Amino acid sequence: MRYSQMLIPTVKEVPAEAEITSHKLMIRAGLIRKVASGTYTYLPLGWRTLRKIIEIVREEMDWAGAQEIIVPCLQPLELWHQTGRDVDYGETMFRLKDRHERWNVLGPTAEEVFTSHAAAELNSYKQLPVNLYQITPKFRDEFRPRFGVLRSREFIMKDAYSFDATPESLHRSYMAMYNAYRRVFTRCGLEYVIVEAESGEMGGTGSHQFTIPCESGEDTIVYIADGSYAANMEKAAVDQLPKEPARDVPPPEDVHTPNVGTIEAVCALLKTQPRDMIKTLIFSSTAKEAAKEIGAEVAKHNGRPVITSKAHFELDYAVLVRGDHEVNPEKLRIAIGEPVTLANEATITGVTGAKVGFAGPMGLTPKVHKLIIDHAVAAMAVAVTGANKDDQHTKNIVPGRDFPLSGDNIVVADIRNAVEGDKYQGKPLLFKKGIEVGQVFKLGTKYSQKLGANFKDESGQLHPCLMGCYGIGVNRIMASAIELYNDENGIIWPISIAPFEVIVTPVNQDEPDVVKVAEELYRKLTEAGVEVLLDDRDLRGGIKFKDADLIGIPIRVTVGKKSVVEGNVEVKLRAKAESEKVAIDKAAEKVMEMIESLKEKVSV
Ligand code: ATP
Ligand code: MG
């Protein structure tokens, strides 16, 4: 392609909202433009890279035996109701009514649609295993779209769904995808780590995440230095803390703490520290709001339509963690057995009898469905907590003495995030940031049971298919590569996903000899199947070099007046400072050798 004919709008300035390197460089290099919050247009260079990533993903999926199909992004809400995910997906799912008053969603993922096809088309064990995938836009009404295409509201996901007859066969399907993912990320030139993950609300029995370690990642990788363990924050388990030695503690004593509702403020006032406090949080089952509308065909759940035909119970939970710890929503969901959300103000006041900020565990058990206590709280010798009275806290609270640690509706479990200083299996846990680019799940029968995706075994008995699902964030691969590979001048693409492999830069567009050599090289390389961008713009060399560095083409061939007179051109890797002089008639050959050696680094 000729630069002069392409739309490559490089810019110097980026909007203030572009906080991280990849977001800034994608705008500066003219790869993307924002349309609205969390939605982007891919301009020619950006789309070329995205297409290459898509093609790598497609090749590896096909190679692993998965079959590509396309299902609609526009899906009936009714289908999501059949698995209960019309409620569980919450605010993140876009919902819209059509002209016939029917509710639809814009698919954030597609388990329901794929499983409904499996229900209709797969009947016998003889047809299994089957793995179907698609590479299509997904829609998520993210609370805070940010970091450019890393967390956007519309993005391209590769999602695959496997259907198997036995656990062994499911494991084979799972591992085929796991290995395909390793090949995909290696071929895209990414350095990644694989971490154990929670299968979460997907409902399942095992999961791994593929994560790119880098500072701007929103995920936290928790690991042990010797490599024996790596998990994401949702999953990372911690060893129980040793029980603090018992001491003589006087009876509980209320203290006046007017309008001091935060941990920090209470600590300052009472001269204590967060680790000596108990935080009491009230959660409600996610389905609770919907329950208020039982019977209505379409009800509102947090202001959004859901279908509620089945009864939900109104359940509230009290949750205790130490003042310096954070509740881990995934661990909490597992301890409780259903999705929960922080209770609203009215519920908190109803349960505790006090305004928000003054909840404590004393006397709460009869008022909630369950009291969930973190291990670290159970290990405390004495604590300060809210008093369940306005503007009051209570000192000298002894877990087990002043509130129960066991009983019918009491669960003591690991429900908090791991923190610096924690151990697992006796070894210190370490932390680093990362970007999740893909995840694989063993789903089991959650979806197949609810949607009737059954198969007959050899004796004619019906069983629900064992499912797996497998997602890759195509746009995130692109942004992650830029996060990993850049310098002060711009992007340094891995060759496999670079928009072009080579840029040929004639320095003086008004010198016929220079132009001739550049055009000739462009023709030769293009004919040999190399992806070449010829910078034929009538601009100063300095500007062309700056743009070439910014857009990150891995190899640059500079054709200058002086070197042409000497019979040479200059060949340079984007990743290196030095260039090399090569005889004009050897240049094409040299460039192709360089391409080969760059490709070797990203081959599997
Ligand atoms: P996250 O925890 O970052 O919100 P997720 O775990 O909800 O992601 P999955 O449901 O596992 O995401 O989706 C599969 C893949 O799709 C993710 O691994 C990620 O690469 C990509 N993805 C998810 N949400 C977004 C988004 N808002 N923008 C861009 N890519 C996304
Ligand atoms: Mg995920």
Side-chain angles (χ1 to χ4, degrees):
M1 297 285 289
R2 289 170 184 276
Y3 205 132
S4 64
Q5 289 165 16
M6 281 194 78
L7 177 63
I8 309 177
T10 58
V11 287
K12 280 210 186 76
E13 300 302 323
V14 292
E17 68 181 23
E19 298 164 60
I20 61 167
T21 308
S22 59
H23 189 186
K24 287 181 191 159
L25 285 176
M26 285 172 91
I27 294 170
R28 284 191 51 209
L31 309 183
I32 57 165
R33 286 294 182 261
K34 176 173 155 179
V35 174
S37 169
T39 61
Y40 293 90
T41 292
Y42 282 79
L43 297 175
L45 285 189
W47 179 236
R48 284 181 75 95
T49 287
L50 216 51
R51 267 169 53 190
K52 289 195 168 179
I53 297 168
I54 289 172
E55 209 37 49
I56 289 172
V57 171
R58 179 174 283 133
E59 280 173 22
E60 292 302 333
M61 287 298 113
D62 291 348
W63 196 83
Q67 302 166 65
E68 186 168 7
I69 65 170
I70 293 272
V71 311
C73 299
L74 186 64
Q75 303 165 5
L77 180 63
E78 171 58 31
L79 196 51
W80 287 73
H81 172 58
Q82 291 179 37
T83 60
R85 289 213 299 177
D86 56 335
V87 171
D88 295 350
Y89 231 99
E91 292 176 289
T92 310
M93 189 153 71
F94 282 105
R95 298 150 207 248
L96 63 153
K97 213 187 223 180
D98 63 28
R99 62 168 71 195
H100 302 296
E101 304 278 300
R102 282 183 293 247
W103 282 101
N104 298 278
V105 313
L106 295 177
T109 164
E111 281 73 14
E112 281 76 1
V113 178
F114 275 76
T115 311
S116 72
H117 289 308
E121 314 300 336
L122 304 174
N123 310 306
S124 157
Y125 73 97
K126 289 183 193 152
Q127 293 170 284
L128 303 181
V130 169
N131 188 337
L132 300 170
Y133 78 96
Q134 63 172 350
I135 305 174
T136 56
K138 303 291 180 295
F139 300 84
R140 294 187 183 180
D141 198 356
E142 298 281 359
F143 175 65
R144 198 174 160 209
R146 59 178 187 158
F147 296 159
V149 304
L150 277 180
R151 183 162 301 284
S152 48
R153 298 198 299 164
E154 176 177 342
F155 57 96
I156 299 175
M157 193 204 289
K158 184 286 301 175
D159 44 329
Y161 306 86
S162 64
F163 301 87
D164 283 87
T166 66
E168 297 73 34
S169 177
L170 166 60
H171 188 66
R172 277 194 296 278
S173 297
Y174 183 84
M175 289 315 294
M177 287 294 107
Y178 182 100
N179 288 321
Y181 276 36
R182 294 172 52 164
R183 296 170 60 95
V184 164
F185 298 123
T186 303
R187 286 184 60 190
C188 290
L190 299 179
E191 286 161 51
Y192 62 92
V193 294
I194 303 175
V195 302
E196 287 178 29
E198 203 41 72
S199 35
E201 287 179 25
M202 305 299 296
T205 52
S207 176
H208 288 92
Q209 256 170 11
F210 290 73
T211 307
I212 311 301
C214 76
E215 266 314 303
S216 42
E218 290 182 283
D219 282 24
T220 304
I221 306 168
V222 184
Y223 65 105
I224 294 175
D226 64 11
S228 59
Y229 183 70
N232 66 8
M233 186 55 99
E234 283 87 66
K235 171 89 177 175
V238 293
D239 287 345
Q240 278 186 43
L241 300 177
K243 179 112 184 128
E244 291 172 6
R247 29 187 143 130
D248 269 345
V249 179
E253 180 191 336
D254 285 353
V255 280
H256 192 47
T257 50
N259 292 319
V260 177
T262 67
I263 294 279
E264 293 69 31
V266 177
C267 285
L269 188 73
L270 300 184
K271 311 238 170 331
T272 182
Q273 43 180 351
R275 58 157 297 141
D276 293 324
M277 296 201 56
I278 296 174
K279 262 194 289 207
T280 306
L281 301 157
I282 310 298
F283 284 81
S284 301
S285 56
T286 303
K288 180 179 165 179
E289 291 292 312
K292 295 190 178 136
E293 312 263 350
I294 290 169
E297 196 204 343
V298 173
K300 295 272 183 192
H301 171 49
N302 288 344
R304 288 170 311 285
V306 294
I307 299 174
T308 60
S309 53
K310 60 176 188 249
H312 293 296
F313 297 102
E314 299 206 4
L315 301 180
D316 297 317
Y317 299 88
V319 173
L320 309 185
V321 289
R322 230 168 61 177
D324 59 334
H325 288 155
E326 295 298 330
V327 172
N328 179 310
E330 271 307 301
K331 292 182 182 178
L332 181 63
R333 187 189 58 77
I334 292 164
I336 286 178
E338 69 160 331
V340 288
T341 33
L342 270 174
N344 59 36
E345 207 174 321
T347 303
I348 296 171
T349 309
V351 170
T352 66
K355 61 185 179 186
V356 174
F358 298 91
M362 298 80 70
L364 272 194
T365 32
K367 299 186 183 150
V368 291
H369 185 59
K370 276 183 191 164
L371 175 66
I372 318 284
I373 303 168
D374 183 58
H375 279 141
V377 168
M380 293 170 90
V382 59
V384 176
T385 80
N388 294 329
K389 297 172 198 157
D390 284 357
D391 296 330
Q392 304 269 342
H393 278 76
T394 311
K395 295 200 297 192
N396 305 334
I397 291 294
V398 177
R401 181 189 79 178
D402 301 315
F403 65 89
L405 288 175
S406 59
D408 274 351
N409 63 341
I410 293 171
V411 179
V412 179
D414 172 12
I415 54 161
R416 69 177 173 91
N417 285 340
V419 292
E420 211 81 44
D422 271 324
K423 291 182 176 174
Y424 181 57
Q425 295 173 338
K427 296 176 194 165
L429 289 174
L430 302 172
F431 300 82
K432 65 181 164 196
K433 291 275 169 213
I435 299 171
E436 175 196 333
V437 285
Q439 186 159 10
V440 292
F441 298 89
K442 281 185 186 174
L443 291 175
T445 57
K446 170 173 169 175
Y447 296 91
S448 47
Q449 247 167 359
K450 290 186 167 150
L451 293 162
N454 300 315
F455 68 95
K456 280 198 181 112
D457 68 13
E458 281 177 41
S459 60
Q461 270 204 319
L462 272 186
H463 304 275
C465 292
L466 291 172
M467 287 179 60
C469 78
Y470 317 93
I472 288 184
V474 170
N475 322 66
R476 274 195 194 172
I477 292 183
M478 179 170 177
S480 306
I482 300 175
E483 286 294 326
L484 290 180
Y485 311 114
N486 67 77
D487 63 14
E488 66 281 8
N489 298 320
I491 302 167
I492 309 174
W493 286 115
I495 189 124
S496 50
I497 61 172
F500 289 95
E501 294 166 323
V502 179
I503 182 163
V504 175
T505 310
V507 181
N508 330 72
Q509 206 60 37
D510 46 6
E511 289 289 334
D513 288 348
V514 166
V515 171
K516 191 166 155 254
V517 170
E519 289 278 348
E520 181 62 16
L521 192 57
Y522 170 60
R523 189 188 56 79
K524 245 191 187 168
L525 287 169
T526 305
E527 278 174 12
V530 176
E531 296 176 19
V532 194
L533 181 62
L534 174 68
D535 193 349
D536 58 345
R537 294 174 300 167
D538 193 8
L539 291 173
R540 279 191 294 116
I543 297 175
K544 293 188 180 187
F545 297 152
K546 268 209 161 62
D547 278 339
D549 280 354
L550 181 57
I551 64 178
I553 310 302
I555 297 167
R556 189 180 81 206
V557 184
T558 310
V559 186
K561 189 176 158 194
K562 202 165 140 235
S563 55
V564 166
V565 171
E566 290 166 5
N568 294 322
V569 293
E570 277 174 36
V571 182
K572 182 184 163 305
L573 284 177
R574 171 65 182 85
K576 291 223 171 111
E578 329 68 67
S579 60
E580 194 184 328
K581 282 198 171 134
V582 181
I584 290 170
D585 58 343
K586 293 273 179 332
E589 210 178 309
K590 170 73 188 173
V591 166
M592 286 194 281
E593 272 170 34
M594 289 167 78
I595 292 174
E596 275 321 300
S597 87
L598 287 177
K599 280 188 175 165
E600 228 157 75
K601 288 190 194 144
V602 292
S603 67
V604 283

